[in-house]
Amino acid sequence: MTFSISAHDPQSKARTGILTTDHGPIQTPIFMPVGTAGTVKAVHQRELEQDIKAEIILGNTYHLYLRPGLDVLSKAGGLHRFNGWNHPILTDSGGYQVYSLSNTRKIQEEGVTFKSHIDGSKHQFTPENVMDIQRTIGADIIMAFDECTPYPCDYSYARRSMEMTHRWLDRCIDRFDSTEGHYGYRQFLFPIVQGSTYPDLRKQSAEVIASKERTGNAIGGLAVGEPAEEMYASIALVNEILPADKPRYLMGVGTPANILEAIALGVDMFDCVMPTRNARHGILFTTEGVINIKNEKWSRDFSPVDPGLEGYASQFYTKAYLRHLIKAEELLAAQIASIHNLTFYLWLVRQAREHIAAGDYVSWKNEMVVKLMQRL
Amino acid sequence: MTFSISAHDPQSKARTGILTTDHGPIQTPIFMPVGTAGTVKAVHQRELEQDIKAEIILGNTYHLYLRPGLDVLSKAGGLHRFNGWNHPILTDSGGYQVYSLSNTRKIQEEGVTFKSHIDGSKHQFTPENVMDIQRTIGADIIMAFDECTPYPCDYSYARRSMEMTHRWLDRCIDRFDSTEGHYGYRQFLFPIVQGSTYPDLRKQSAEVIASKERTGNAIGGLAVGEPAEEMYASIALVNEILPADKPRYLMGVGTPANILEAIALGVDMFDCVMPTRNARHGILFTTEGVINIKNEKWSRDFSPVDPGLEGYASQFYTKAYLRHLIKAEELLAAQIASIHNLTFYLWLVRQAREHIAAGDYVSWKNEMVVKLMQRL
């Protein structure tokens, strides 16, 4: 995996480049659609590729481990072969889902025991088996097993949790470096900075993570309810320490404005369920601002979903038709809105790349942040 | 609207031809996907056109009248403009949905009063206003307002209902012939044969309907629970009477075998929710037989959904992946299965047309009926 930066923005920490994997290149900054259970919800694979122009998607280890399970994924030849997505894939470590979805979970030094949200069966994730599981799933980029602390989180818990995440990281690295991918292409392990919103913990964690000298690094534990300013402060602090010549991935973030601000702070990679989840509830991100398509005001608006955005879903369908579909609880509503929102997110990071290359990122970003967050 | 028959099968009543509307030609025999509320569930319009190769779709008057409502449809310029389907559309009269969906409905000579299944509001459908509503929706082919009797249905009820349907037909024709389409293209009214499964009533109804000399004719009240042999007997009897030079539409039918048998009896047009509804429950119609994709036996079958059928959904995705999606209740499962099943249905009628033209329809049909109904 190589990461080559082609341009730095003169007014900010923003940069644009290319991250190369055995499944092809990823232009950064990039947004990665979330394909929880091996599918980006309501979106066909060819739509991801041709309409949305996604370059990398996520899979969730917790979901894929429980269903379809490792035996099926292994027999398929890994997730790329299983779902037909022949571009890069990143998997999370499963930790976040264990904490948020499992009704009973117990976090101990050894790992986390939890019950499946599907059938209540008991399972354990450890730093070691999570590496093995991600080897079997076969993502190009795999994530270290960490604990993502909630917000707010008291200092002593945040410190103890961060220290355990660091010990888990060493175990992840040991296991990862002593094993190989199953399917003939290379995988890369990204460690995760934690430390809640405490500057000294974030600094300490970033230093530990940087010292591991992995191919790329991630920032976790943000966008969990803290004010945006605290999130940006944490990112700025951490990015001072994480090596500038390696990709930085901000996990689970966020709104269009969050993404543009974090790019200015030197972040290269993003993922979030927001564009797809909000789509299913009728919230559209458009080039002019945010639309709640369920509102009566759109019922007779026969203009395209987003006249400013190229692409089938945004151009072919009208606001009035999409509103009708979502009011009638038709599956096509989720399909159109999901393609549209993801097309918008990928357009947004493409625009960001162009403005970084052009050297006017900050002024463009400042305009866009205001525009994109207004409610239409 | 012109109907030109290009070939008759020498061994059966099957025929193939072209029905021409102001929105383009329809090759017959044809299957028409059901687009209840202005959308064929889980299928994009370009998928209908390019993957499924649909030539005409249905809309349901009851659903469209209640939501989005006539004001929106009128302002949009009709259903074609509203949903972006620029090929022929047929609307039913709303009668069937009123009887099956509305929790309280009262059938009287004047018409039917009913309560909306959405908000409980009271409405009335009459032969006259159902013509007006279908004028506003703007389908190319619109259906007479009839009563579809249940099965079994006692003789005296079936006779009285049929007689009322005939009186309603005269009112439909009066209203239809004294009004015009709203959007600059022509619409055509098809009357509907009723009479339950009573041969004398079916004969009488077919004679009345034939005497109206409309552009095309429909057979209703079948596939409501009666044995297939009774259905085929009714179709055979009715088709002896309905004019051979006009298209015959068998409403709400059916399985692949039903369709092939009815084609042999001289039917030209079909619609049914079966391919899409069954798709959402994991039942696939394939070129080798019927598959319940939820079965464990498909969990490690990495062959295409249907190797014998061209098209994205059937070729790109595997049985194991589709099974995983439906078990995980992912929206993409309904999308893939719906495209596949509809692609199969349109392939089936295309094959039928070719075999009618080639003169070997009956021998092909007899083989296919056995093959297509087997459970894999």
Side-chain angles (χ1 to χ4, degrees):
Chain A
M1 181 177 284
T2 61
F3 181 51
S4 97
I5 296 173
S6 57
H8 288 85
D9 179 61
Q11 254 90 54
S12 73
K13 303 280 186 191
R15 65 264 191 87
T16 179
I18 293 180
L19 182 63
T20 307
T21 76
D22 286 354
H23 280 100
I26 303 157
Q27 300 178 78
T28 63
I30 191 70
F31 179 81
M32 308 182 281
V34 178
T36 310
T39 159
V40 175
K41 290 186 193 302
V43 178
H44 281 286
Q45 274 69 330
R46 70 174 173 189
E47 292 167 342
L48 268 178
E49 191 176 38
Q50 295 165 20
D51 295 297
I52 294 162
K53 304 188 196 307
E55 302 189 8
I56 171 172
I57 63 171
L58 253 70
N60 285 124
T61 288
Y62 169 85
H63 287 282
L64 293 164
Y65 161 80
L66 291 177
R67 195 166 50 191
L70 299 184
D71 180 62
V72 168
L73 287 168
S74 178
K75 285 202 166 64
L79 181 57
H80 297 82
R81 296 285 294 277
F82 184 63
N83 72 2
W85 177 254
N86 201 26
H87 302 283
I89 297 177
L90 180 151
T91 41
D92 68 0
S93 67
Y96 185 80
Q97 265 81 25
V98 166
Y99 309 132
S100 61
L101 284 184
S102 180
N103 40 11
T104 56
R105 80 280 191 293
K106 195 171 172 188
I107 304 172
Q108 292 171 301
E109 186 68 27
E110 173 58 17
V112 182
T113 52
F114 61 95
K115 281 190 179 172
S116 160
H117 75 288
I118 301 166
D119 62 6
S121 55
K122 273 186 87 168
H123 302 266
Q124 186 180 35
F125 277 172
T126 66
E128 290 81 11
N129 79 5
V130 161
M131 294 299 100
D132 297 343
I133 291 168
Q134 291 184 89
R135 285 291 199 195
T136 299
I137 296 172
D140 300 270
I141 300 173
I142 78 178
M143 301 305 299
F145 191 58
D146 64 339
E147 184 185 0
C148 177
T149 50
Y151 180 86
C153 178
D154 73 56
Y155 183 83
S156 68
Y157 188 88
R159 185 171 55 77
R160 276 182 289 124
S161 168
M162 178 198 75
E163 287 166 355
M164 187 179 66
T165 285
H166 294 166
R167 290 191 297 276
W168 282 1
L169 174 58
D170 288 334
R171 290 166 58 191
C172 285
I173 289 172
D174 283 352
R175 185 57 152 253
F176 181 82
D177 287 349
S178 65
T179 55
E180 290 195 340
H182 300 185
Y183 311 114
Y185 51 82
R186 286 166 300 175
Q187 298 179 285
F188 296 90
L189 171 64
F190 282 23
I192 303 170
V193 175
Q194 288 289 349
S196 188
T197 49
Y198 300 105
D200 64 320
L201 297 184
R202 281 283 169 188
K203 178 168 182 291
Q204 190 185 334
S205 188
E207 283 165 353
V208 168
I209 268 54
S211 75
K212 305 302 176 186
E213 301 187 345
R214 306 306 300 190
T215 318
N217 300 294
I219 309 170
L222 294 176
V224 291
E226 77 283 3
E229 291 317 312
E230 284 204 49
M231 174 170 74
Y232 299 144
S234 291
I235 297 167
L237 186 159
V238 164
N239 281 356
E240 287 294 322
I241 300 164
L242 292 181
D245 60 348
K246 292 178 176 172
R248 300 179 185 122
Y249 162 32
L250 178 60
M251 303 181 76
V253 175
T255 65
N258 292 156
I259 288 174
L260 295 186
E261 296 294 358
I263 287 173
L265 299 170
V267 173
D268 307 294
M269 302 165 71
F270 300 88
D271 80 284
C272 192
V273 294
M274 194 177 282
T276 40
R277 181 174 294 166
N278 284 14
R280 297 195 298 279
H281 294 105
I283 307 298
L284 307 180
F285 298 100
T286 80
T287 55
E288 297 297 321
V290 179
I291 285 177
N292 181 345
I293 199 68
K294 294 191 296 298
N295 287 345
E296 169 68 20
K297 69 183 284 193
W298 308 113
S299 66
R300 287 158 182 79
D301 186 326
F302 302 108
S303 67
V305 170
D306 187 350
L309 195 64
E310 283 179 21
Y312 177 67
S314 318
Q315 285 292 332
F316 180 82
Y317 297 107
T318 66
K319 295 183 182 76
Y321 182 60
L322 180 53
R323 176 181 188 271
H324 161 64
L325 295 178
I326 201 150
K327 295 294 282 185
E329 296 176 29
E330 285 287 346
L331 294 170
L332 189 58
Q335 299 173 236
I336 295 169
S338 297
I339 296 178
H340 165 74
N341 275 355
L342 287 174
T343 302
F344 172 80
Y345 266 67
L346 269 295
W347 169 85
L348 187 68
V349 292
R350 215 157 49 236
Q351 289 287 107
R353 293 196 292 267
E354 287 174 16
H355 285 281
I356 295 167
D360 64 352
Y361 180 74
V362 171
S363 61
W364 172 79
K365 181 264 291 179
N366 289 343
E367 261 180 48
M368 289 300 277
V369 162
V370 175
K371 189 173 170 187
L372 297 181
M373 288 296 93
Q374 65 192 348
R375 289 259 165 186
L376 299 180
Chain B
M1 180 177 286
T2 60
F3 182 51
S4 96
I5 296 173
S6 57
H8 289 85
D9 179 60
Q11 254 89 55
S12 73
K13 303 280 185 192
R15 66 266 189 85
T16 179
I18 293 182
L19 182 62
T20 306
T21 76
D22 286 353
H23 280 100
I26 302 158
Q27 299 178 78
T28 63
I30 191 69
F31 179 81
M32 307 182 280
V34 178
T36 311
T39 158
V40 175
K41 290 186 194 300
V43 177
H44 282 286
Q45 273 70 328
R46 70 174 174 190
E47 292 167 343
L48 268 178
E49 190 176 38
Q50 295 164 22
D51 295 297
I52 293 162
K53 305 189 195 307
E55 302 189 8
I56 171 173
I57 63 171
L58 253 70
N60 285 124
T61 288
Y62 169 85
H63 287 282
L64 292 165
Y65 161 80
L66 291 177
R67 194 167 50 193
L70 299 184
D71 180 61
V72 168
L73 287 167
S74 178
K75 285 204 167 61
L79 182 57
H80 297 83
R81 296 284 293 276
F82 184 62
N83 71 3
W85 176 255
N86 201 25
H87 303 283
I89 297 178
L90 181 152
T91 40
D92 68 1
S93 68
Y96 184 80
Q97 265 81 26
V98 166
Y99 309 132
S100 61
L101 285 183
S102 180
N103 40 11
T104 55
R105 79 280 192 291
K106 194 171 172 188
I107 304 172
Q108 293 171 300
E109 186 68 27
E110 172 59 17
V112 182
T113 52
F114 61 95
K115 282 191 179 171
S116 160
H117 74 288
I118 299 167
D119 62 7
S121 56
K122 272 186 90 167
H123 302 266
Q124 185 179 35
F125 276 171
T126 67
E128 290 80 11
N129 78 5
V130 161
M131 293 301 100
D132 297 343
I133 292 168
Q134 291 184 88
R135 285 289 197 197
T136 300
I137 296 172
D140 300 271
I141 299 172
I142 79 179
M143 301 305 299
F145 192 58
D146 64 338
E147 184 185 359
C148 177
T149 50
Y151 179 87
C153 177
D154 72 58
Y155 182 85
S156 69
Y157 188 90
R159 185 170 54 77
R160 276 182 289 124
S161 168
M162 178 198 74
E163 287 166 355
M164 186 178 68
T165 285
H166 294 166
R167 290 190 298 276
W168 283 0
L169 174 58
D170 288 334
R171 291 167 57 192
C172 286
I173 289 172
D174 282 350
R175 185 58 153 254
F176 180 83
D177 287 349
S178 64
T179 54
E180 289 196 342
H182 300 185
Y183 311 114
Y185 50 82
R186 286 167 299 175
Q187 297 180 285
F188 296 89
L189 171 65
F190 282 23
I192 304 170
V193 175
Q194 288 289 350
S196 188
T197 49
Y198 300 105
D200 64 320
L201 297 184
R202 281 283 169 189
K203 178 168 181 290
Q204 190 185 334
S205 187
E207 283 165 353
V208 168
I209 268 55
S211 75
K212 305 301 175 187
E213 300 188 347
R214 305 306 300 189
T215 318
N217 299 294
I219 309 169
L222 294 177
V224 290
E226 77 284 4
E229 290 316 313
E230 285 203 48
M231 174 169 74
Y232 299 142
S234 291
I235 296 167
L237 187 158
V238 165
N239 281 356
E240 288 292 323
I241 300 164
L242 293 181
D245 61 347
K246 291 179 177 173
R248 301 179 184 122
Y249 162 32
L250 178 60
M251 303 182 77
V253 176
T255 65
N258 291 157
I259 288 174
L260 294 186
E261 296 295 359
I263 287 172
L265 299 171
V267 174
D268 307 293
M269 303 166 71
F270 300 88
D271 80 285
C272 192
V273 295
M274 194 176 281
T276 40
R277 181 174 293 166
N278 284 13
R280 296 195 298 279
H281 294 106
I283 307 298
L284 307 180
F285 298 100
T286 80
T287 55
E288 297 297 321
V290 179
I291 285 177
N292 182 344
I293 200 69
K294 294 190 296 299
N295 287 346
E296 168 68 20
K297 68 183 285 193
W298 308 112
S299 66
R300 287 157 183 80
D301 186 325
F302 302 108
S303 67
V305 169
D306 188 348
L309 195 64
E310 284 180 21
Y312 177 68
S314 319
Q315 286 291 332
F316 179 82
Y317 296 107
T318 67
K319 295 184 182 75
Y321 182 61
L322 180 53
R323 177 182 187 272
H324 160 65
L325 295 178
I326 202 152
K327 296 293 282 185
E329 296 176 28
E330 285 287 347
L331 295 170
L332 189 59
Q335 299 173 234
I336 295 169
S338 297
I339 296 178
H340 165 75
N341 276 355
L342 287 174
T343 302
F344 172 81
Y345 266 66
L346 270 295
W347 169 85
L348 188 68
V349 292
R350 214 156 50 235
Q351 289 287 108
R353 293 196 293 265
E354 288 174 15
H355 285 281
I356 295 167
D360 63 353
Y361 180 74
V362 170
S363 60
W364 172 79
K365 181 265 289 180
N366 289 341
E367 260 179 48
M368 289 300 276
V369 162
V370 174
K371 189 173 170 187
L372 298 180
M373 288 296 93
Q374 66 192 350
R375 289 258 164 187
L376 298 182

